[in-house]
Amino acid sequence: MTKPPWLRRATRAARALLATGTTAVLAAGLLTATATTSQAATQAPCDIYAAGGTPCVAAHSTTRALYAAYNGPLYQVRRASDSATKDINPLTTGGYANAAAQDSFCAGTSCLITVIYDQSGKGNSLTQAPKGAFSGPAAGGNDNLANAVEAPVTVGGHQAYGVYVAPGTGYRNNHTSGIATGDQPEGMYAIFDGTHFNGGCCFDYGNAETSSTDTGNGHMEAIYFGNSNFWGSGSGNGPWVMADLENGLFSGAGTGNNPGDPSVASRFLTAAVKGGPNQWAIRSGNAQSGGLATDYSGVRPNASGYNPMHKEGSIILGIGGDNSNASAGTFYEGVMTSGYPSDATENAVQANITAAGYSSAATSTGALTPGSRISLQATTAPCCTSHYLRHDDADSKVVISPISSASSATDKADAGWIVRAGLANSSCLTFESANQPGRFLRHYAFQLYLDADDGGSNFAQDATFCATTGNSGTGRSFQSVNYPAKYLRHYNYTGYLAADGGSNSWDATASWAQDTSWLTAAPWS
Ligand code: AHR
Ligand code: AHR
């Protein structure tokens, strides 16, 4: 088969690098080469793996090219308004994703990520995971697709989007080529949002069954990230990077708890797993700085069925091998290799990752633009002008309360919101809690709550509000996308979705215009 031009160039680059000698020399050289922006594009993770003799056989990213010479599509989005699809490419060869192309294509509607293309040339792209032993929530028992705006990020100063896996979301490829099977050696890494996880089974990226069913111990080898302690765990309360080897999440040589595997806490997490004959390792690090720690490296687990392994070579993202789909997480990029990568090769990849510049910093404060941090101040006088919309620590309700510079750090943080593109309409807005990332302002039974996304289209609608001129003539009002006659309102110091006159007590006409008008203020947190 003729290789595409970018792959031919990548192979040539890899060969040239291999000619430089040992992996240690190579790694040291790469650390220097990736340290400056101008040279960053000369090496990408898969060039480094190729040079180390363990080439990528799958390379997935919605944020950037993983080969310096890659200029094909990164991912595909489908918009709700007319079901049209669009491929999102790198801005330049080897560069960052053209997120602006997604923004304009999805303006005024919502988009799902339909394909995460394989950049390796092996055709191992990821698409909607089909029903397995467990059904997903989408039609036919398939899993949901990720909302394309739910994991915004900047990489090297460029806006991009990750893959936001709410429970029920999953991607898979059961017909791969070149992925390890049986006891063959392989490696893999992924970059995750280290603050977005849960204890459901199983937020995985890696090698799984081709049947989407549990075919027994040792039939998987995937990176797991989350705080499930049902099978295995590490030190502290999690979350942990573990290996999903089927019928068990492993954190070391034994089943159950292995205290050598640390809880991890960075916003951007590099997680790596590799495995070969009676040998495997877990490594992790902060994807913004520093190196990779080795959390485990040694022999295969002592439970039966894991030595030798029985890998099947399908690829999963966000789910377990049998399509268990109760898990949550966010994926930015990841690869799988042929062969067991050396620690030096992985260290060089980590240096490339930290040089790439992942960031979640606010783009501004006090503005109603996605990425900005704000607080929302009530305008109703005289009761409420020192009150701000905040979540309530006692429950998941959203209320207003007075906040001032003298307020506690918790109260201030509870009144901080990160403006996001609207989950159900990217031209409207969604508000994410500043101190509870992954939880969003939404209405339910016309009251306001702070909730995690359950992956359903109802949630996206319940969490999307369109900014309008304030109903009182002051500030802004926020109109519900699924109940356009209703707006964000405070009533008796509690948050509601209210019409101007209606059947609920909080639809009362008196003060409605003021109660639904808010000032966007600099954030209290
Ligand atoms: O190994 C943990 C999980 O167990 C796997 O992901 C799944 O296939 C099985 O339910
Ligand atoms: O808040 C009104 C509706 O109540 C929401 O759309 C729905 O999630 C719930 O039934």
Side-chain angles (χ1 to χ4, degrees):
M1 193 181 84
T2 311
K3 291 178 180 168
W6 49 266
L7 186 61
R8 284 203 297 272
R9 283 197 296 276
T11 312
R12 271 204 304 278
R15 258 193 246 111
L17 274 164
L18 274 173
T20 63
T22 68
T23 311
V25 169
L26 170 69
L30 287 168
L31 284 171
T32 317
T34 52
T36 66
T37 312
S38 58
Q39 290 179 323
T42 63
Q43 286 295 316
C46 286
D47 304 314
I48 297 167
Y49 278 111
T54 50
C56 295
V57 286
H60 303 115
S61 176
T62 54
T63 68
R64 63 172 182 148
L66 298 174
Y67 291 86
Y70 187 75
N71 62 5
L74 299 174
Y75 64 105
Q76 183 193 69
V77 293
R78 186 177 71 214
R79 64 184 175 203
S81 54
D82 60 0
S83 294
T85 59
K86 181 175 180 59
D87 284 346
I88 305 300
N89 293 307
L91 286 162
T92 55
T93 298
Y96 301 102
N98 185 359
Q102 174 186 314
D103 290 344
S104 60
F105 183 72
C106 304
T109 182
S110 62
C111 275
L112 299 171
I113 296 175
T114 36
V115 185
I116 306 164
Y117 289 105
D118 174 19
Q119 304 177 28
S120 80
K122 297 282 185 193
N124 293 328
S125 299
L126 295 172
T127 57
Q128 184 170 27
K131 176 177 178 344
F134 291 93
S135 293
N142 297 332
D143 292 348
N144 284 336
L145 293 162
N147 187 310
V149 296
E150 205 162 351
V153 71
T154 60
V155 193
H158 298 270
Q159 210 216 316
Y161 293 101
V163 182
Y164 189 96
V165 173
T169 306
Y171 292 82
R172 192 169 194 125
N173 186 331
N174 283 339
H175 305 279
T176 63
S177 74
I179 304 295
T181 57
D183 210 26
Q184 287 174 346
E186 66 177 347
M188 58 196 82
Y189 85 86
I191 302 178
F192 300 133
D193 179 342
T195 66
H196 182 214
F197 59 87
N198 72 5
C201 177
C202 292
F203 183 72
D204 289 349
Y205 174 72
N207 195 325
E209 292 95 340
T210 54
S211 59
S212 301
T213 62
D214 178 351
T215 51
N217 294 359
H219 284 247
M220 295 178 62
E221 184 166 73
I223 305 167
Y224 166 82
F225 172 62
N227 66 347
S228 165
N229 58 10
F230 181 74
W231 291 280
S233 59
S235 63
N237 296 321
W240 304 282
V241 178
M242 297 191 275
D244 191 341
L245 305 180
E246 189 51 278
N247 296 314
L249 303 177
F250 290 87
S251 51
T255 56
N257 180 264
N258 291 286
D261 192 35
S263 289
V264 289
S266 52
R267 167 64 178 79
F268 294 98
L269 170 71
T270 309
V273 163
K274 53 187 168 181
N278 200 20
Q279 175 189 26
W280 71 287
I282 304 173
R283 305 188 73 205
S284 64
N286 181 340
Q288 291 180 299
S289 64
L292 291 179
T294 299
D295 303 330
Y296 174 75
S297 179
V299 295
R300 288 290 184 182
N302 45 25
S304 80
Y306 299 101
N307 183 31
M309 293 286 283
H310 313 278
K311 294 176 237 187
E312 296 189 22
S314 87
I315 307 174
I316 52 173
L317 171 60
I319 49 178
D322 55 8
N323 199 42
S324 296
N325 53 64
S327 46
T330 297
F331 172 93
Y332 301 103
E333 65 178 62
V335 312
M336 298 173 69
T337 69
S338 172
Y340 194 87
S342 68
D343 285 0
T345 296
E346 290 173 338
N347 295 345
V349 169
Q350 166 69 0
N352 172 278
I353 289 167
T354 57
Y358 273 90
S359 171
S360 62
T363 52
S364 62
T365 59
L368 271 183
T369 47
S372 183
R373 281 174 182 259
I374 61 164
S375 285
L376 286 170
Q377 185 178 9
T379 61
T380 313
C383 68
C384 303
T385 52
S386 61
H387 289 237
Y388 291 79
L389 192 73
R390 49 91 52 98
H391 66 89
D392 190 358
D393 290 320
D395 52 37
S396 63
K397 287 188 180 150
V398 170
V399 299
I400 59 168
S401 78
I403 310 277
S404 69
S405 53
S407 297
S408 73
T410 304
D411 284 342
K412 288 178 182 169
D414 290 352
W417 301 95
I418 306 168
V419 179
R420 300 295 187 200
L423 295 180
N425 180 330
S426 60
S427 300
C428 298
L429 304 171
T430 288
F431 299 101
E432 182 176 3
S433 165
N435 62 346
Q436 296 212 11
R439 298 183 69 196
F440 302 91
L441 176 70
R442 62 86 58 99
H443 63 87
Y444 187 87
F446 307 111
Q447 299 203 33
L448 301 184
Y449 297 92
L450 190 69
D451 274 342
D453 185 359
D454 64 10
S457 58
N458 263 7
F459 182 92
Q461 301 234 325
D462 292 352
T464 301
F465 306 94
C466 304
T468 64
T469 301
N471 289 324
S472 69
T474 297
R476 298 279 165 70
S477 290
F478 300 96
Q479 182 181 30
S480 163
V481 83
N482 50 348
Y483 293 93
K486 297 179 191 265
Y487 293 79
L488 294 184
R489 178 185 195 171
H490 62 89
Y491 184 81
N492 277 341
Y493 306 100
T494 302
Y496 294 99
L497 194 70
D500 184 7
S503 54
N504 296 309
S505 56
W506 54 86
D507 296 324
T509 294
S511 295
W512 179 85
Q514 289 74 31
D515 292 351
T516 57
S517 296
W518 305 85
L519 296 178
T520 55
W524 282 110
S525 62

